[in-house]
Structures are given as structure tokens and as C-alpha cells.
């Protein structure tokens, strides 16, 4: 049984960020890896990121960008830059990695908790950022604890008995006791953070202790930006990494 799980989301083909996160996780005695989707899209190294996660034995969920790259959904709901990157990803994706993405579940359970990219109401697309989205998500949760990604922002949301919500945005090095209420945890974005902090974000779930540690990790962003520009990916996608947006 895994005791300490590295939970990452939205790696977005950012290999330098993933490598830094995995190295940090190894130093923090992690014995399993969960990836909550959007392994690819936006970034320059989709095949290498998927290979790395598969080598690490990561339990992976399907995200909207993974689904687009694998041809499961079209890019019609994507904005222009995201669509351009999704089409580039689909072109360079190796057949083996495409099949891997096509095999991924939209919802999974592990260590007694639920994993999904968006929300249980809409696993690929819904952002858990509003009270309405939280209400829809918690109504469908079959476990007390769930993990989501998709927003690229670290967050813990608790639901009270009365149906109201309490949330916090944990910072680097913070350990949060999940307590006894229904709770949903977002580890933040590993490969494209959007909370204004450009460092890679991820979390370590101490399953048996009911606690989550949140971390930010410095990585070689310049290398990822170089790879993006050389790949012909939109310049704005490389630039945004520096702003954590
Ligand atoms: Zn994403």
C-alpha cells in the first residue's frame, strides 16, 4: 500500500518541470505517482513526458488536452493557442503514446480516494472554481476525499454538513490536515502554473495520515521555453510560463 503519493496534474509536456518534480518527490520519500491529466498539450515534449510517467509507474487520468491530442475529442472547444498546440501534439505523438492516452480512465479510485481531471460532473472540462461546480462535484463523490486538477491552481475545498464550502490556497511547504469533512484537493499545475508563481506545483498525499503536503519546485524553465520555440509552438505559450499564468 502506498504511503506517500506524489500527486501531479497538468504537466503539459513540460519535461524539465516533470523531471524536477519527480526528483523532488524522490527526495521526499514518495512511493507512488498519480497524474491527474493533461500530461500533454501546450508543451514541447509530449512523448518524453508520457514515457517518464509510465516508467515511474504513474497512475494517469485523462485530461481534455490528452483527449484532443489522442483524437478522442476535437479541438472546437479550445482557444486558438490551445488548439494550435493540440494539433502540433497530435502530429508528433508516437502511436504507442496515442494508444496509451486512449486507454486512460476519466475517473479512478486509488487508496480510497477519487481522482479526476476536471470535476465528477464533467471530468474533462469543468473547473472546480465556483460554489456551483463544487456542489455538483461533491454530490457525485463516492469517497470522502477526492483530487482534481485542470485549474492549475493549488486548492483545498471542504464541504460542511450544511452544504457550505471553505477553501484555502496552500503555499510552498505547507502541510494540510484534511480533517473529517468531505474534501477536494488540487495539487496545482506542474507544467504550467496559473497562480502567479512560475515554479512547478505538486503535492504529496500521506494516505494513512490523511494529510497533504504542497510544494513548489524551481525547474529549468529556459530549457522548456527554448524547446517550445524550436518546435514552432506559439510564442505566447512559452512566454506565459515565466509569469505563472
Ligand atoms: Zn491543463
Amino acid at each position: 500500500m502506498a504511503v506517500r503519493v506524489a500527486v501531479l496534474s497538468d504537466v503539459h509536456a513540460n519535461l524539465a518541470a516533470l523531471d524536477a518534480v519527480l526528483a523532488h518527490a524522490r527526495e521526499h520519500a514518495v512511493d507512488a505517482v498519480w497524474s491527474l491529466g493533461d500530461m500533454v498539450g501546450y508543451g514541447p515534449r509530449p512523448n518524453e513526458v508520457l514515457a517518464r510517467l509510465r516508467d515511474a509507474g504513474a497512475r494517469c487520468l485523462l485530461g481534455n488536452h490528452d483527449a484532443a491530442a489522442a483524437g478522442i475529442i476535437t479541438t472546437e472547444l479550445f482557444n486558438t493557442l490551445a488548439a494550435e498546440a493540440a494539433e502540433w501534439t497530435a502530429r508528433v505523438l508516437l502511436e504507442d503514446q496515442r494508444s496509451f492516452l486512449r486507454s486512460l480512465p476519466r475517473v479512478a479510485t486509488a487508496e480510497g480516494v477519487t481522482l479526476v481531471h476536471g470535476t465528477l460532473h464533467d471530468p474533462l472540462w469543468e473547473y472546480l472554481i465556483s460554489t456551483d461546480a463544487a456542489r455538483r462535484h461533491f454530490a457525485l463523490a463516492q469517497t470522502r476525499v477526492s483530487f482534481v486538477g485542470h485549474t492549475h491552481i493549488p486548492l483545498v475545498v471542504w464541504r460542511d454538513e450544511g452544504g457550505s464550502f471553505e477553501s484555502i490556497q496552500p503555499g510552498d511547504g505547507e502541510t494540510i490536515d484534511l480533517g473529517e469533512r468531505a474534501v477536494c484537493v488540487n495539487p496545482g499545475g506542474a507544467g504550467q502554473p496559473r497562480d502567479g508563481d512560475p515554479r512547478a506545483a505538486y503535492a504529496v498525499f500521506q494516505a494513512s495520515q490523511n494529510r497533504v503536503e504542497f510544494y513548489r519546485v524551481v525547474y529549468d524553465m529556459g530549457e522548456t521555453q527554448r524547446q517550445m520555440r524550436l518546435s514552432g509552438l506559439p510564442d505566447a505559450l512559452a512566454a506565459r510560463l515565466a509569469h505563472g499564468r
Side-chain angles (χ1 to χ4, degrees):
M1 181 176 163
V3 184
R4 292 174 58 78
V5 186
V7 188
L8 18 147
S9 190
D10 300 278
V11 176
H12 281 298
N14 186 338
L15 185 64
L18 176 62
D19 279 343
V21 164
L22 290 177
H24 187 278
R26 274 191 296 271
E27 283 164 22
H28 288 73
V30 152
D31 48 23
V33 178
W34 297 343
S35 171
L36 305 179
D38 280 7
M39 279 76 74
V40 305
Y42 292 131
R45 292 290 182 268
N47 292 305
E48 294 82 351
V49 157
L50 290 170
R52 204 70 107 235
L53 287 167
R54 294 171 73 181
D55 285 349
R59 178 159 206 144
C60 297
L61 278 288
L62 186 75
N64 53 316
H65 286 260
D66 306 317
I72 298 167
I73 60 169
T74 68
T75 56
E76 67 183 342
L77 291 176
F78 283 72
N79 67 46
T80 312
L81 292 179
E84 203 179 312
E87 280 146 22
W88 178 89
T89 306
R91 277 201 302 280
V92 303
L93 203 59
L94 299 172
E95 192 47 49
D96 175 53
Q97 303 299 7
R98 190 187 326 273
S99 314
F100 173 69
L101 290 180
R102 296 186 78 98
S103 77
L104 295 179
R106 296 178 189 217
V107 179
T109 358
E111 303 292 334
V113 307
T114 302
L115 315 176
V116 63
H117 180 64
T119 69
L120 289 168
H121 172 70
D122 186 348
L124 290 190
W125 285 105
E126 189 168 42
Y127 292 95
L128 209 161
I129 42 168
S130 65
T131 304
D132 281 347
R135 197 167 286 126
R136 287 191 286 268
H137 174 81
F138 279 99
L140 293 167
Q142 311 253 336
T143 61
R144 189 179 61 82
V145 179
S146 56
F147 283 84
V148 303
H150 194 41
T151 66
H152 304 205
I153 295 171
L155 190 73
V156 182
V157 186
W158 288 273
R159 187 189 60 184
D160 292 324
E161 293 296 335
S164 59
F165 297 96
E166 183 192 338
S167 66
I168 55 161
Q169 246 180 272
D172 180 32
E174 262 192 76
T175 298
I176 306 294
D177 192 330
L178 297 182
E180 299 309 317
R181 290 176 289 175
V183 61
C184 178
V185 179
N186 189 321
Q192 194 204 71
R194 290 183 188 163
D195 60 353
D197 182 342
R199 296 176 295 172
Y202 86 107
V204 175
F205 176 43
Q206 305 176 10
S208 57
Q209 307 292 318
N210 193 36
R211 281 197 300 246
V212 180
E213 301 157 24
F214 289 82
Y215 292 111
R216 304 307 285 255
V217 183
V218 173
Y219 72 97
D220 190 349
M221 180 191 302
E223 176 60 22
T224 295
Q225 291 175 318
R226 263 191 301 282
Q227 292 168 354
M228 290 175 80
R229 289 176 174 131
L230 285 171
S231 303
L233 284 159
D235 201 62
L237 293 179
R240 73 184 293 181
L241 290 178
H243 307 294
R245 295 285 175 204

